[in-house]
């Protein structure tokens, strides 16, 4: 009986010109978003690859120079994009695409597209995630708001039930019918998306992103299940189809448009972050005076001098078998690293707490849970950005230490007049970054996934319970 009801509902929807037009518009927008996302991914990847190769070539083509000067010359590190990023750009436009790695500084990320965006662009970009998170739920509402309320108004609901059709069977049949209508839209779009991903992938069909795409699809199906369940429950409970539509549109507006902005503002108030200027001031202040405010540069230099003299059992710097300037430079780096770790950890932990608050808010609005999961699986959330930033910083420290060590053990008495041969640059390995696995991404989203699953189960259960108790006239 459930299958028959589903088939009947699907047939009616496919014959409905309003559904065909709405589905065609949503499909066209989704297709355009996938195509534009693929082009954006391909263009950015090509630019990053070219820029990374160029900055590496510039490093290798340096003439003979002092190693510490080479450390200041530095190198750029460009954040790679995963294939699913073509579907959801996440926070990437706001956090930057690359970072300059040089001695004595942990620089901010550069090239943030959001800074150069127009007011219209800041309002929102057309991405596949936007269509899936906003337009598909709206389409579900338009398909299902009159599922029960409309039949009650037409008098067909009483006739159906008088034939012995169970209310719960009717609910599940309608749910499957709506899901089938969505499948007519989503399945072709999924095929197009997979083909687009395969065309721009360098590692087979989807490469290492296959797992992420499967979980992404499963998460969106849960999200759609939430709206199917809520829509059927409201339609069964509402006195009229107009009332059902008003209630569901209000739910859609609050969930998709109001909640994300409101929770972001609340998160900033609960876990405020310093301005870029204040943050840099705090870092510079401690670089001069030390974390405790009393460890000045002069004191550190004198303490280091006495330590090194004692270590090598000599009474003056000129008698050292190593170059003291190189040791001093590396000690300065270590001092700075402690301060960078302190301040950046505090800053990033605040961002993490903001994100956790947003994830918990998924208990109120399923859109928030879906956004969090989608960005994570696309590799465009803050957790992935922080992981890349940590890898880039680790490479910076490796590069600088290698330059300072060369000066320490090879400069002799020359200090900064010492020139290292270009062969030294070849010994510095190129920066490589491997993105975390899908399981790592999922481990960061246990709360959001649990809430999304709970929302789906609760919504479908509510639809079944409300349908069983609905009035027929």
């Amino acid at each position: 009986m459930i299958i028959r009801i589903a088939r009947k509902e699907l047939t009616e929807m496919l014959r409905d010109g309003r559904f065909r037009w709405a589905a065609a518009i949503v499909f066209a927008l989704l297709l355009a978003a996938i195509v534009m996302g693929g082009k954006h991914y391909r263009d950015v990847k090509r630019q990053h690859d070219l820029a990374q190769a160029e900055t590496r070539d510039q490093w290798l083509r340096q003439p003979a120079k002092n190693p510490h000067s080479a450390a200041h010359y530095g190198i750029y590190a460009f954040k790679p994009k995963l294939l699913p990023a073509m579907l959801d750009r996440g926070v990437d436009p706001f956090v930057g695409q690359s970072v300059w790695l040089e001695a004595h500084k942990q620089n901010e990320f550069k090239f943030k597209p959001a800074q150069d965006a127009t007011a219209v662009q800041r309002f929102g970009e057309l991405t596949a995630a936007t269509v899936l998170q906003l337009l598909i739920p709206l389409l579900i509402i338009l398909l299902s708001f009159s599922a029960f309320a409309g039949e009650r108004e037409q008098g067909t609901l009483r006739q159906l039930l008088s034939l012995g059709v169970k209310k719960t069977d009717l609910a599940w049949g309608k749910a499957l019918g709506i899901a089938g209508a969505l499948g007519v839209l989503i399945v072709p779009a999924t095929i197009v998306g997979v083909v687009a991903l395969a065309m721009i992938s360098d590692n087979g069909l989807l490469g290492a992103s296959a797992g992420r795409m499967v979980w992404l699809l499963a998460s969106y199906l849960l999200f759609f299940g939430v709206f199917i369940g809520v829509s059927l429950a409201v339609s069964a409970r509402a006195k009229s189809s107009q009332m059902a539509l008003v209630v569901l549109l209000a739910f859609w507006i609050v969930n998709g448009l109001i909640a994300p902005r409101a929770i972001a503002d609340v998160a900033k108030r609960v876990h405020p972050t310093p301005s870029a200027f204040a943050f840099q001031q705090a870092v510079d202040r401690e670089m001069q005076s030390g974390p405790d405010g009393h460890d000045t540069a002069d004191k550190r230099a004198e303490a280091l001098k006495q330590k090194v003299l004692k270590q090598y059992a000599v009474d003056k710097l000129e008698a050292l078998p190593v170059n003291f300037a190189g040791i001093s430079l590396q000690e300065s780096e270590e001092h700075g690293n402690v301060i960078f770790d302190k301040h950046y950890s505090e800053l990033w932990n605040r961002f993490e707490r903001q994100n956790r608050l947003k994830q918990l808010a998924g208990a109120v609005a399923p859109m928030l849970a879906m956004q969090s999961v989608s960005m994570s699986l696309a590799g465009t959330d803050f957790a992935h950005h922080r992981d890349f930033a940590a890898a880039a910083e680790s490479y910076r420290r490796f590069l600088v230490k290698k330059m300072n060590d060369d000066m320490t053990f090879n400069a002799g008495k020359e200090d900064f007049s010492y020139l290292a041969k270009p062969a030294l640059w070849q010994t510095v390995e190129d920066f490589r970054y491997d993105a975390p696995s899908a399981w790592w991404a999922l481990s960061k989203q246990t709360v959001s996934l649990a809430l999304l699953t709970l929302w789906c189960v609760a919504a479908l259960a509510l639809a079944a319970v409300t349908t069983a108790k609905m009035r027929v006239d």
Side-chain angles (χ1 to χ4, degrees), residues 227-380:
F227 277 86
I228 292 175
V230 171
S231 298
L232 290 177
V234 171
S235 183
R237 181 66 177 171
K239 295 181 179 180
S240 65
S241 57
Q242 291 87 348
M243 178 61 68
L245 181 59
V246 169
V247 172
L248 290 171
L249 286 178
F251 174 73
W252 177 78
I253 291 172
V254 171
N255 176 77
L257 302 180
I258 297 178
R261 182 70 264 174
I263 293 300
D265 291 340
V266 170
K268 289 179 181 178
R269 287 183 176 273
V270 175
H271 302 294
T273 56
S275 66
F277 179 73
F279 177 82
Q280 192 58 51
Q281 269 193 325
V283 171
D284 292 342
R285 184 167 54 250
E286 289 198 13
M287 289 289 285
Q288 294 298 322
S289 60
D292 59 1
H294 303 288
D295 189 17
T296 63
D298 291 340
K299 289 182 179 180
R300 292 196 306 273
E302 181 60 28
L304 177 64
K305 174 182 175 181
Q306 297 303 321
K307 176 184 174 182
V308 173
L309 291 176
K310 182 178 180 180
Q311 178 183 352
Y312 287 95
V314 296
D315 57 0
K316 57 182 180 179
L317 296 180
E318 291 76 9
L320 286 172
V322 294
N323 184 270
F324 183 74
I327 296 175
S328 180
L329 288 169
Q330 185 56 35
E331 182 67 19
S332 175
E333 285 293 329
E334 299 295 340
H335 170 73
N337 292 343
V338 172
I339 295 171
F340 294 145
D341 287 343
K342 172 188 173 183
H343 285 275
Y344 275 95
S345 292
E346 290 177 356
L347 178 65
W348 286 339
N349 288 339
R350 286 180 178 270
F351 285 132
E352 292 284 4
R353 287 194 287 271
Q354 289 181 359
N355 285 334
R356 282 198 293 271
L357 182 58
K358 293 175 185 177
Q359 288 187 24
L360 291 173
V364 179
M367 165 73 102
L368 297 173
M370 187 65 249
Q371 283 183 335
S372 184
V373 173
S374 179
M375 288 191 295
S376 181
L377 290 172
T380 57

